Amino acid sequence: MSSRNVLVVLYDGVQSLDVTGPMEVFSGADRHPGPARYALRTVSPGGAPVRTSSGLRLVPDGELESERPGAGTTLLVPGGRYTGDFAPEITDWLRAHGGSAQRLVSVCTGGLLLAEAGLLDGRRATTHWYVCERMARDYPAVTVEPDPIYVRDGPVSTSAGVTAGIDLALALVEEDHGRELALSVARHLVVFLRRPGNQAQFSAQLAAQTAAREPLREVQHWITEHPGEDLSVEALAARAALSPRHFARSFRAETGVTPGRYVERVRVEHARRLLEEGGEGVAQISRACGYGNPEALRRAFVRTLGQPPAEYRRRFGIPPQPPPATAAPDA
């Protein structure tokens, strides 16, 4: 298979990890035996060096204006410091030429550049959680999905903040060259093979606010560390030395979610990690996560993720490795 072109757009204020994260994934695929898989090229308006949001200076390979992405090209638009306006030389070029790329990819607030250029009209998309509401308000033709870490809609893929670009790039490598190569790249970068696209932008702990009062904060930490324990309102209230009614009211007021909802988020998140990374059976995982039986875990997964645990493991779990070969016994 001939190598795929990956064209990365640079501009002043771009987020450096939005650029280097996906590029490390694609270049990592080329470090493995076999023919070249990706040809990477960076461009900027006028071919001028750019200063990233962290102050890092990047020197592009060429001029944006001379590029015409086409078949075999993945056009990647990273995010950057968003101030509410856009450089017209970027959005005009995207409007004129972005749609001709075989694949169009954005990282973080790069999705706003695609939306401004009209390339997300009629499509599902996501961006950094901080600007999802703004995207939905300013671009009503775009169906904004604020929760997933990335969304793929035909040839257009958009991802959430910063490290989600690595997850999306790994998904593209897996699509192009198979799971084993993507897994090898992920291991080299010391990251997950890939978080599934429908995984929430926040972990359960980040999605909820941290309680202001120490007893409630301690309960939050205890839930995370003991998902298999009795996490009923009564048991948690006793740990906080509050009445169940006072505890439930205070927990929701300070975290933004009910105790039951928080517990379910933590338990499902823990079960997902076990399904993705380990070989335990569903019944064993159910007990470890406090569900007691596989049917209770299945209901929580369907309610939260829209699919049962077995299907989730099939799609996102690490495949079992064959047992090591053993030497034949001496005759």
Side-chain angles (χ1 to χ4, degrees), residues 15 17-26 76-79 105-109 126 128 148-151 157-173 189 191 193-195:
Q15 159 65 248
L17 193 54
D18 286 6
V19 176
T20 59
M23 289 186 72
E24 286 292 343
V25 171
F26 292 124
L76 191 150
V77 181
V105 176
S106 70
V107 182
C108 196
T109 56
T126 194
H128 193 287
I149 59 172
Y150 60 82
V151 171
S157 300
T158 53
S159 62
V162 194
T163 57
I166 295 175
D167 298 293
L168 178 52
L170 285 167
L172 296 175
V173 169
L189 296 176
V191 296
L193 166 57
R194 66 178 173 91
R195 294 178 291 172

Side-chain angles (χ1 to χ4, degrees), residues 104-329:
L104 190 57
V105 176
S106 70
V107 182
C108 196
T109 56
L112 291 171
L113 287 166
L114 298 187
E116 179 70 14
L119 295 170
L120 299 183
D121 288 357
R123 295 190 179 277
R124 298 161 40 247
T126 194
T127 184
H128 193 287
W129 62 267
Y130 185 73
V131 292
C132 276
E133 185 176 344
R134 183 184 297 268
M135 177 186 272
R137 183 192 67 210
D138 293 348
Y139 306 102
V142 182
T143 301
V144 179
E145 299 187 2
D147 291 329
I149 59 172
Y150 60 82
V151 171
R152 304 191 63 186
D153 187 342
V156 179
S157 300
T158 53
S159 62
V162 194
T163 57
I166 295 175
D167 298 293
L168 178 52
L170 285 167
L172 296 175
V173 169
E174 182 176 351
E175 175 184 279
D176 295 342
H177 302 288
R179 184 181 179 85
E180 288 307 311
L181 179 62
L183 177 59
S184 296
V185 174
R187 284 172 173 161
H188 181 78
L189 296 176
V190 198
V191 296
F192 291 110
L193 166 57
R194 66 178 173 91
R195 294 178 291 172
N198 64 349
Q199 181 166 319
Q201 292 195 30
F202 292 133
S203 67
Q205 292 77 21
L206 290 177
Q209 304 169 42
T210 300
R213 285 183 285 175
E214 185 65 26
L216 297 180
R217 285 202 304 272
E218 290 180 356
V219 167
Q220 283 183 284
H221 296 321
W222 197 86
I223 291 171
T224 302
E225 294 169 0
H226 302 86
E229 299 290 335
D230 178 7
L231 301 181
S232 64
V233 169
E234 291 75 17
L236 297 176
R239 297 195 67 84
L242 298 170
S243 71
R245 184 176 180 179
H246 187 193
F247 169 78
R249 185 169 59 248
S250 299
F251 190 95
R252 181 166 188 172
E254 295 199 20
T255 67
V257 296
T258 65
R261 181 60 177 148
Y262 186 83
V263 166
E264 181 169 77
R265 286 177 178 175
V266 169
R267 283 177 164 167
V268 169
E269 187 173 290
H270 185 59
R272 289 169 73 161
R273 286 198 297 269
L274 294 177
L275 287 165
E276 291 169 13
E277 303 167 15
E280 299 91 342
V282 172
Q284 184 178 352
I285 291 174
S286 300
R287 292 191 295 271
C289 297
Y291 284 106
N293 60 74
E295 177 57 24
L297 178 64
R298 189 194 71 81
R299 288 197 301 269
F301 259 60
V302 170
R303 181 168 55 248
T304 305
L305 305 176
Q307 59 186 302
E311 174 64 14
Y312 184 88
R313 168 170 273 171
R314 186 189 69 77
R315 293 181 61 194
F316 304 117
I318 297 175
Q321 300 298 310
T326 56

